[in-house]
Amino acid sequence: MTIEGARTSPSGSEAPTVDALTIGRRIRHLRTARKMTLDDLAAAVDRAPSQLSMIETGKREPKLSLLQAIARALGVTIDAVLEAEPLDDRTSMEIALERAMRGPTFHALGIAPFRIGKSVPDEALAALLSLQREIERLTDERSATPEEARRANVDLRHLMRRQDNYFPELEAQARQILDAVDHPGGPLTQRTASDIAAHLGFSLHYVADLPASTRSVADLRHGRLYLSSTVPAKGDSRTAVLQALASRILGHSEPRSYADFLRQRVETNYLTGALLVPEAHAVPFLHDAKERRAISIEDLRDAYSVSYETAAHRFTNLATEHLGIRVHFLKVHESGTITKAYENDDVNFPADRLGSIEGQLCCRRWTSRVVFDIPDKFNPYYQYTDTGQGTFWCTARVEASSEGAHSVSVGVRFDDTKWFIGRETTNRGISRHSVEVCCRRAPAELEGAWRDQAWPNVRTPRTLLATLPSGSFPGVDTTDLYEFLDAHAPRTGA
């Protein structure tokens, strides 16, 4: 029999479990208090000193018979040896640090366990334990659970709504950068993107072996920015460059939490959009379109040679601040799941109990879902939708991505439709998801026929059941990253 389950309470139930490390340290304390050497105790119990050393350091779990012999040799009861309460502060700290050294935190940091000698000051032990606890706290913060991620998303969306999705400090930084490279206005060329990189001290290098978990890699030591030599279909090489540089322009440091990581990502995307579609040039363009009652996301896209999604995002940045138009934006996966959302026009999107919109199913009758069934993929789709919150007009397009097709839509309240191309559409829908079941439940006839006869194998999103990737750069394999940088770093004398 080992020490596991060796003690019971008076009622017969097991007392709190004590581990081998705690018992080993208690034996050492009792032995040294009686001025016995390890050899003395070993001779008394007829064991090798090395065996007792393994027990005292917690590396071996003793059998109950040996513990009884040790207790007799030390002149104490077996209960004194198995006592779970710490002996003193010093011993408690040593035991805690021993456990920490055997745990995942030290292992992940590559710190090998070391012997805690008597010469190690108490203050040093306390400092090491404090550092270990802080590292674990930061790790826990960065390993955001799906619920924490949704809360962070909700908080950020509320901030965007309060500011009408307009951030003047980011607009100002974009202006400074564009002025520094003498950008004349209009579409930002690939050459201008390279000029911005040079202005910030980076040279561009296109490689075929970029780590799979990255879009770009910046070598801050040598001022080199690595990008993929293969541009995906419908991709924009300027966007990859500007997104990589945006974090340097914004002075981003290692995120302290998932909320920090999410905010930095939003800031990066905003600044990239502000560089591609400069405020100083886009606002007069949009004012002219409004005067002609001809606002069009497609025209904004074409004028600045950006993707439809970038044009839609940029319109939400500028519409309320400069045109006095409140808007909403939706990005919906072909499965019906909302992946991005923004509104300041009081449209009612489906939300969970935390208020999170992302991850919810979009109403089947909303423009963002209907557009998937429209055969004409070349022209934008327009629709009026009557809801419990009023009537809204939307324009939407379907775009392909590596994760499947997505619809991107921008909409306004009925009163603001007069400013937009597509207001004459006869397409109409009715969505009541905000006030009743609407499309969230299958028609009664179908449900009655199939409810007990269907069993789908659900394609569960990875982040639904697992924590989000942790680390300095969530989702990035840092071994791949550092091996890549080491392989591509310029060599001295080369």
Side-chain angles (χ1 to χ4, degrees), residues 333-406:
H333 186 259
E334 59 187 335
S335 65
T337 305
I338 298 173
T339 58
K340 292 182 183 179
Y342 165 76
E343 61 82 22
N344 69 349
D345 59 358
D346 297 320
V347 68
N348 187 290
F349 290 139
D352 64 14
R353 62 182 181 82
L354 299 176
S356 178
I357 296 171
E358 290 79 6
Q360 300 300 300
L361 280 176
C362 180
C363 178
R364 299 172 65 88
R365 294 158 191 169
W366 197 257
T367 312
S368 306
R369 290 287 297 277
V370 176
V371 68
F372 286 108
D373 298 324
I374 303 302
D376 182 1
K377 303 301 181 185
F378 183 77
N379 293 302
Y381 174 71
Y382 309 111
Q383 177 179 304
Y384 287 98
T385 307
D386 298 322
T387 77
Q389 306 294 115
T391 298
F392 293 85
W393 172 91
C394 299
T395 174
R397 267 193 178 278
V398 175
E399 293 190 325
S401 75
S402 59
E403 299 173 350
H406 284 83

Side-chain angles (χ1 to χ4, degrees), residues 196-257:
I196 292 174
H199 172 71
L200 296 171
F202 286 92
S203 58
L204 303 183
H205 302 265
Y206 294 89
V207 296
D209 60 340
L210 199 68
S213 56
T214 66
R215 295 177 181 175
S216 63
V217 173
D219 178 348
L220 304 182
R221 179 184 301 169
H222 301 104
R224 295 160 71 95
L225 180 59
Y226 297 100
L227 302 114
S228 174
S229 57
T230 303
V231 178
K234 298 185 179 181
D236 186 340
S237 56
R238 300 169 304 162
T239 299
V241 173
L242 296 176
Q243 285 181 331
L245 296 172
S247 290
R248 311 316 312 160
I249 296 171
L250 295 166
H252 285 162
S253 58
E254 184 178 325
R256 298 184 300 274
S257 64

Side-chain angles (χ1 to χ4, degrees), residues 285-295 323-325 419:
F285 176 89
L286 290 172
H287 269 302
D288 176 68
K290 184 181 179 183
E291 288 177 5
R292 293 184 289 106
R293 299 187 176 224
I295 296 176
L323 306 178
I325 300 174
W419 309 117

Side-chain angles (χ1 to χ4, degrees), residues 266-310:
V266 169
E267 289 178 350
T268 295
N269 289 336
Y270 190 111
L271 183 58
T272 299
L275 291 168
L276 288 169
V277 185
E279 179 181 34
H281 311 101
V283 170
F285 176 89
L286 290 172
H287 269 302
D288 176 68
K290 184 181 179 183
E291 288 177 5
R292 293 184 289 106
R293 299 187 176 224
I295 296 176
S296 166
I297 305 301
E298 286 75 13
D299 288 352
L300 185 63
R301 173 200 63 187
D302 296 342
Y304 292 93
S305 301
V306 294
S307 69
Y308 186 84
E309 183 176 351
T310 296

